[in-house]
Amino acid sequence: GTVGRPVDCEVRIVAPDGTALPDGAEGKLLLRGNNLMSGYLGDPEATAATLRDGWLWTGDLAVRDPDGFIRITGRRKNLIIVGGTNVHPERVAEVLRLHLAVHEACVFGEPDQDWGEVVVAAVVAAEVDELALVRHCREQLAPVEVPSRIHRLLELPKGPSGKVVIARVRELIAMTARSGADAANFATCGSDPATRVRAIAAATFRVAPEELAPSSGPNRVSGWDSLSHLAFLMALER
């Protein structure tokens, strides 16, 4: 799970302001050595932003253990910030791929009016419903890391390097993507108040409606945590 120790360059793990961090703390990965690039061709601004005082700011987030081994934890620009909490999409995608029905997975953030961003996933998977994948994620992830939406695709579009093209993924799921507000609006169309409230709760807590009853509460519903409780109240208000 690490990339080893540095043998041909120096490594620093720093806070956003450049302050060195102790072993075990996650921070930005900086490299320095004669084998690194001297700059971006014809782009002095990008060079100045990336090379500072002889150090290459890689854009990776990493942790160094007490034995000097470096573990890459993600890319700073890929971070999803949900209600002020950092979520690493790589970690969420890794958990999704552990499900036996999932062949491929990618995770990214989408703007949200309440939380700033929400976690969205796209998977290439055998016949499996979204709630099953949500339950799988809840077993291994913090509540804030569990995807708000999981879309099934026939394939994940990739570029020449083999990396998933997130912009293309967004295009493919644009027709089916729905926000929490959309779910609340759909749930409130027709039916009696109790049925509407149960539909909103099911959409918010990511459970089947038949799993909910008037007596349901946080101690009986797996997806009913503090974060989803706030989302439930806001959906009810809408």
Side-chain angles (χ1 to χ4, degrees):
T2 79
V3 293
R5 296 189 182 107
V7 294
D8 53 3
C9 62
E10 298 176 71
V11 169
R12 291 181 66 196
I13 308 292
V14 303
D17 63 359
T19 305
L21 294 173
D23 290 344
E26 181 185 75
K28 295 187 175 184
L29 177 65
L30 276 58
L31 303 176
R32 182 169 68 179
N34 293 329
N35 60 326
L36 301 178
M37 72 173 190
S38 57
Y40 290 103
L41 180 64
D43 197 339
E45 291 185 2
T47 298
T50 305
L51 294 170
R52 310 178 205 171
D53 299 323
W55 289 92
L56 172 69
W57 291 61
T58 65
D60 289 319
L61 296 171
V63 174
R64 178 171 49 209
D65 69 20
D67 294 323
F69 287 87
I70 305 296
R71 177 168 56 88
I72 305 296
T73 57
R75 292 285 292 173
R76 177 69 183 174
K77 66 179 182 179
N78 292 345
L79 272 180
I80 306 168
I81 304 177
V82 183
T85 301
N86 292 344
V87 175
H88 292 287
E90 296 87 357
R91 162 69 176 153
V92 181
E94 178 183 357
V95 168
L96 281 167
R97 285 193 291 267
L98 290 175
H99 193 284
L100 294 178
V102 175
H103 305 301
E104 294 183 279
C106 70
V107 176
F108 51 92
E110 283 289 298
D112 181 77
Q113 61 179 338
D114 297 319
W115 306 107
E117 286 186 291
V118 292
V119 180
V120 177
V123 300
V124 177
E127 199 65 35
V128 60
D129 63 38
E130 183 178 2
L131 294 182
L133 294 178
V134 169
R135 287 192 292 269
H136 167 76
C137 289
R138 283 183 181 141
E139 293 174 356
Q140 304 182 60
L141 297 171
V144 72
E145 297 176 305
V146 176
S148 296
R149 299 190 295 275
I150 301 177
H151 300 273
R152 286 181 60 197
L153 299 177
L154 294 177
E155 62 178 352
L156 296 182
K158 300 179 179 67
S161 66
K163 291 184 179 180
V164 176
V165 182
I166 298 298
R168 180 62 183 142
V169 173
R170 285 192 171 102
E171 291 177 5
L172 290 176
I173 66 177
M175 297 299 294
T176 57
R178 58 180 178 84
S179 65
D182 293 332
N185 289 336
F186 177 78
T188 54
C189 291
S191 67
D192 65 279
T195 301
R196 295 204 301 269
V197 169
R198 188 168 69 169
I200 293 172
T204 303
F205 303 136
R206 317 295 295 292
V207 298
E210 54 268 24
E211 296 181 36
L212 298 171
S215 59
S216 296
N219 60 327
R220 295 175 59 183
V221 179
S222 61
W224 196 330
D225 52 67
S226 58
L227 192 70
S228 62
H229 184 85
L230 290 174
F232 182 41
L233 293 178
M234 288 185 286
L236 287 172
E237 288 176 356
R238 281 195 288 266

